[in-house]
Amino acid sequence: MTRAIITGVAGFIGSHLSEELLKRDYTVIGIDNFDHWYDPDTKYKNLEHSLAHHSFELIKDDIRTINFSSLFEEGDTVFHLAARPGVQDSWGNGFLDNVEINIYGTQRIFEAGLETNVRRVAFASSSSIYGSTAKDEGRQIQPISPYGVSKAACEQLATVYHERGLSLVPLRYFTVYGPRQRPDMAMNRLFRASLPGSYRFPLRGDGTQSREFTFVNDVVEATIRAGFHLDISSLEAFDIGGGISASLNDVIQMIQEITGSQPRIDNFPLPPGDPQVTMASTQNTKEALEWQASTSLIDGLHSQYLSLRDNLVPSA
Ligand SMILES: NC(=O)c1ccc[n+]([C@@H]2O[C@H](COP(=O)([O-])OP(=O)(O)OC[C@H]3O[C@@H](n4cnc5c(N)ncnc54)[C@H](O)[C@@H]3O)[C@@H](O)[C@H]2O)c1
C-alpha cells in the first residue's frame, strides 16, 4: 500500500485530504498535535471518518519535536500542512509560533525527508507570500504580514533542500472555504453571525476587499495531483486558486441569500497585513497538474452552510 503522511491532518484542509486519500486506497499516517489555537474537539470531529478507516493511523505529536527520521520510510509521499495559520495572529509575540511551527517545523520535515529518501514533500504555502502583488502580472514574493514572511521562508527552505535532491512542491493556497473551514475565517464567522445567537461579525474595512476563493475539494484534488501525479524534477510553485474573485460584500450578500437572514456586523478599520485584492495565476497549475477548480462560489457556500447548520451552537 502506498503511504501518504499528512501533517496537520486534523485541521480543515488536512482532514479532507485524508478522507479523499483513504477513498483512493492509500494508507494515511496523520500527524497533529491538536493545539488549542482553536477547539481541539472540533479537530477530533474533523477526523471522525478517517479514524473509522482501517488504513488510517493517527500520531498525536508535534512537528517541532517528533522524530520524523524514524517515522518516514523511503518512497513515502509527505503532505505537509501543519502550521500556525492566520495573518492577524502573526503580529507581535504571535510571530514566535510562526517561526517555530511554520519555519522550524518545515525545516525538520525537509531534513528528515532528505535523510530517509521520501518520494516527495508537497507542502502548503500561501497567497500571503505575494502581499499586495497577487493581482496582476507584476506578482512577486513580497509579503506584508509576519505570517506571509514565514510561508515565504518555507519556500526559500524548499529551494535549499531541492538543491540537495529532495522533491518538493510548494502549493500556494488562495482563501480556502467549505465544510470545516477554520472558525477564525470570514465565511465561517459570517454564517455564525447569520444564524440565531448573538455572535457578531467583525467587518474590517469597507468590505470591498476581494479574494480568490477556493473550495476545499478543489484544493484537495490539486494537492493529491501535486503529491502523486505531477511528473516534475525542477522546483516549481503552484497557485491553487478557485478561479472566483469576489468581494467580502458579495460574500455577505450570498450568505444572506442562503441563510435568509442578515449577518450581524460590527465595523472596524482595515488591519495591517490584509491585502485589498488577491488573485491567483493558475496557467502553469492547469498545465502541470491538469487541474482546474470546478466549484462555483454559491455551490461551495451552500455546502459549507449545510455542514455548519446542524453542528452550530450559536456563540455569544
Ligand atoms: N485555509 C486557508 O485558506 C489557507 C490558505 C493558505 C494557506 N493555508 C495553509 O494550509 C495549511 C492548512 O490550513 P488549515 O486552514 O487547514 O488550518 P488548520 O489550523 O485547520 O489546520 C492546521 C493543523 O495543524 C495542526 N498543527 C498546528 N501546529 C502543529 C504542530 N506544531 N505539530 C503538529 N500539528 C500542528 C493544528 O492542530 C491543525 O489541526 C496551513 O499550512 C495553512 O497555513 C491555508
Side-chain angles (χ1 to χ4, degrees), residues 12-13 37 80-99 101-103 106 123-131 141-155 171-176 182 184-185 272-275 278:
F12 164 40
I13 303 170
W37 190 64
H80 171 40
L81 273 64
R84 171 58 49 84
V87 164
Q88 291 312 322
D89 279 11
S90 71
W91 297 104
N93 292 340
F95 189 54
L96 187 57
D97 284 328
N98 279 221
V99 170
I101 303 171
N102 302 5
I103 304 176
T106 296
F123 68 98
S125 182
S126 168
S127 59
S128 296
I129 66 164
Y130 292 122
I141 299 187
Q142 204 172 297
I144 55 170
S145 67
Y147 166 74
V149 168
S150 77
K151 288 292 186 180
C154 294
E155 291 207 19
L171 298 168
R172 296 171 181 167
Y173 295 154
F174 279 68
T175 314
V176 189
R182 296 195 324 259
D184 63 297
M185 295 186 74
D274 275 333
T278 66

Side-chain angles (χ1 to χ4, degrees), residues 13-294:
I13 303 170
S15 61
H16 284 282
L17 176 63
S18 171
E19 266 170 53
E20 190 56 36
L21 286 170
L22 290 166
K23 264 190 221 156
R24 298 184 192 189
D25 286 336
Y26 291 98
T27 292
V28 175
I29 295 152
I31 302 159
D32 205 294
N33 69 346
F34 295 84
D35 74 9
H36 283 69
W37 190 64
Y38 65 90
D39 187 0
D41 288 344
T42 304
K43 298 177 184 178
Y44 278 108
K45 203 162 169 23
N46 289 346
L47 273 187
E48 240 169 25
H49 296 285
S50 292
L51 284 167
H53 200 287
H54 60 89
S55 297
F56 179 77
E57 183 190 344
L58 174 65
I59 298 174
K60 191 177 170 193
D61 213 329
D62 195 305
I63 60 165
R64 291 166 290 189
T65 49
I66 185 174
N67 184 348
F68 282 116
S69 299
S70 63
L71 172 70
F72 291 168
E73 291 176 4
E74 183 166 352
D76 281 347
T77 299
V78 181
F79 295 93
H80 171 40
L81 273 64
R84 171 58 49 84
V87 164
Q88 291 312 322
D89 279 11
S90 71
W91 297 104
N93 292 340
F95 189 54
L96 187 57
D97 284 328
N98 279 221
V99 170
E100 292 183 351
I101 303 171
N102 302 5
I103 304 176
Y104 176 55
T106 296
Q107 186 266 348
R108 294 189 79 245
I109 287 164
F110 293 173
E111 191 76 36
L114 189 65
E115 185 190 327
T116 55
N117 208 14
V118 299
R119 245 192 84 255
R120 171 166 292 165
V121 181
F123 68 98
S125 182
S126 168
S127 59
S128 296
I129 66 164
Y130 292 122
S132 299
T133 74
K135 55 185 176 196
D136 47 36
E137 291 312 308
R139 63 186 57 238
Q140 303 174 24
I141 299 187
Q142 204 172 297
I144 55 170
S145 67
Y147 166 74
V149 168
S150 77
K151 288 292 186 180
C154 294
E155 291 207 19
Q156 286 286 302
L157 282 167
T159 63
V160 170
Y161 282 88
H162 181 265
E163 193 62 30
R164 290 192 56 202
L166 183 63
S167 172
L168 282 152
V169 188
L171 298 168
R172 296 171 181 167
Y173 295 154
F174 279 68
T175 314
V176 189
Y177 72 103
R180 306 179 197 157
Q181 192 191 42
R182 296 195 324 259
D184 63 297
M185 295 186 74
M187 287 156 164
N188 182 310
R189 287 171 182 247
L190 277 165
F191 277 118
R192 278 186 280 149
S194 305
L195 289 161
S198 55
Y199 179 75
R200 302 180 68 81
F201 178 73
L203 175 60
R204 302 182 197 283
D206 62 4
T208 57
Q209 61 269 47
S210 75
R211 292 288 173 270
E212 176 139 348
F213 292 104
T214 320
F215 189 62
V216 66
N217 293 8
D218 290 325
V219 169
V220 163
E221 184 59 43
T223 304
I224 293 174
R225 284 172 187 236
F228 283 115
H229 308 303
L230 176 67
D231 187 13
I232 197 174
S233 56
S234 58
L235 177 64
E236 196 174 344
F238 297 100
D239 281 9
I240 307 300
I244 303 158
S245 256
S247 70
L248 200 48
N249 288 333
D250 295 332
V251 171
I252 291 170
Q253 181 65 33
M254 286 185 192
I255 286 182
Q256 188 171 331
E257 279 162 26
I258 290 170
T259 61
S261 64
Q262 201 171 354
R264 298 172 291 278
I265 288 176
D266 290 327
N267 292 90
F268 295 93
L270 195 65
D274 275 333
Q276 180 65 18
V277 177
T278 66
M279 203 183 284
S281 170
T282 51
Q283 196 51 40
N284 69 332
T285 313
K286 282 176 191 158
E287 285 164 16
L289 300 185
E290 295 174 28
W291 168 91
Q292 187 164 4
S294 60

